[in-house]
Amino acid sequence: MTFKDHFSGHASGYASFRPGYPAALFDFAASLAPGRALAWDCATGNGQAALGLAERFARVIATDASAEQLAQATPHPQIEYRQAPAEQSGLPDGAADLVTVATAVHWLDFDRFYAEARRVLAPGGALVVWSYNLPRVTPEISALIDRQSYQIVKTYWPPERRWVDEEYRHLPFPFAEVEVPQFWIEERWDFARLLAYIGTWSATQRYLKTHGEDPRDLLRDEMAAAWGDPEREREVSFPIMMRAGHPRG
């Protein structure tokens, strides 16, 4: 089985420079589960979400189709990492109190993954999926980040990126939905960290492979001027989009 693999080639950078998720998000996701025995974190990547779930569930099965991504995952006594496609988790029927997909459901085969999630969920179990959009810093820096994404590398984003641009509002989600709060990722970064994060974009990597040139160089000077002292840490915020619900019927 093939899968849409946009990150294995730079798995180390992804693990190092992608932001983490707030504790309140995991508290909310866990509150939807009928128990705390097992959570399945699908498309776990380097295990960022799995680590948050492990603080709230006795056991976490974290799967990903990419061996390169899993090689970057942080070991944890309550997490079992497995290489498996999203549509074939290998979990027994009704085994999971909670299924999560962090920053990845838009890459999946919706029909097949949702069928697998329904099969794996215990009675009353919940599916929670989320992602985040472009970071917000100052208005000037945010505008330059938007130019980088929507102009310079616009045509290098995979087509599934549209679900993120639409903030998951139109994402197919055939579950009985629950209302979700607005969450934000909030971190403090210096200028080098921002550039490193932009380097993890799938569109940045595709541009680089196509042209042999780094697209970040096209706005680097403007971004540096807007940032000021490159060692200065600024507040960087990412709006999180989320869908959550229980199987119907």
Side-chain angles (χ1 to χ4, degrees):
M1 179 179 296
T2 60
F3 69 103
K4 296 176 177 118
D5 187 4
H6 303 294
F7 303 103
S8 290
H10 57 289
S12 176
Y14 194 101
S16 298
F17 302 121
R18 285 285 173 139
Y21 305 113
L25 183 155
F26 295 108
D27 290 339
F28 171 75
S31 76
L32 302 179
R36 301 291 179 92
L38 176 66
W40 171 32
D41 186 40
C42 176
T44 194
N46 55 61
Q48 286 174 309
L51 292 169
L53 294 170
E55 296 180 5
R56 294 157 179 86
F57 288 82
R59 186 178 175 217
V60 178
I61 302 295
T63 65
D64 201 279
S66 169
E68 291 83 1
Q69 285 272 58
L70 291 172
Q72 301 297 323
T74 301
H76 189 285
Q78 289 161 237
I79 302 174
E80 179 183 346
Y81 293 104
R82 300 179 180 175
Q83 186 177 4
E87 304 83 3
Q88 296 179 356
S89 67
L91 273 69
D93 293 357
D97 297 300
L98 179 70
V99 175
T100 59
V101 188
T103 319
V105 74
H106 46 279
W107 305 123
L108 305 184
D109 180 320
F110 295 134
D111 291 341
R112 297 177 67 192
F113 166 68
Y114 289 144
E116 180 71 349
R118 289 189 200 95
R119 183 189 69 77
V120 165
L121 280 170
L127 170 65
V128 183
V129 303
W130 68 89
S131 189
Y132 50 86
N133 216 329
L134 298 175
R136 304 294 82 185
V137 195
T138 66
E140 184 180 5
I141 296 169
S142 297
L144 289 167
I145 293 169
D146 291 349
R147 277 179 59 194
Q148 189 78 42
S149 176
Y150 298 127
Q151 295 182 28
I152 291 176
V153 300
K154 176 181 178 180
T155 60
Y156 296 88
W157 285 112
E160 294 84 1
R161 169 72 189 188
R162 75 181 182 91
W163 302 113
V164 176
D165 289 335
E166 296 170 357
E167 298 183 336
Y168 276 17
R169 286 188 295 267
H170 306 298
L171 183 86
F173 195 78
F175 289 75
E177 291 201 59
V178 300
E179 186 175 353
V180 300
Q182 175 64 61
F183 295 107
W184 289 77
I185 297 169
E186 296 180 336
E187 300 194 353
R188 293 188 65 84
W189 288 359
D190 61 16
F191 183 56
R193 176 66 191 274
L194 176 67
L195 288 181
Y197 161 73
I198 293 173
T200 70
W201 291 357
S202 56
T204 300
Q205 294 297 314
R206 293 175 81 182
Y207 185 106
L208 181 62
K209 290 176 182 177
T210 300
H211 298 283
E213 298 175 352
D214 191 333
R216 292 172 294 180
D217 291 341
L218 299 176
L219 288 182
R220 188 184 299 266
D221 290 345
E222 287 184 65
M223 283 192 178
W227 193 278
D229 180 356
E231 296 185 3
R232 175 184 176 181
E233 291 190 342
R234 292 184 177 272
E235 293 183 2
V236 179
S237 301
F238 297 77
I240 293 176
M241 59 210 74
M242 175 182 285
R243 304 283 293 274
H246 305 275
R248 294 192 177 100

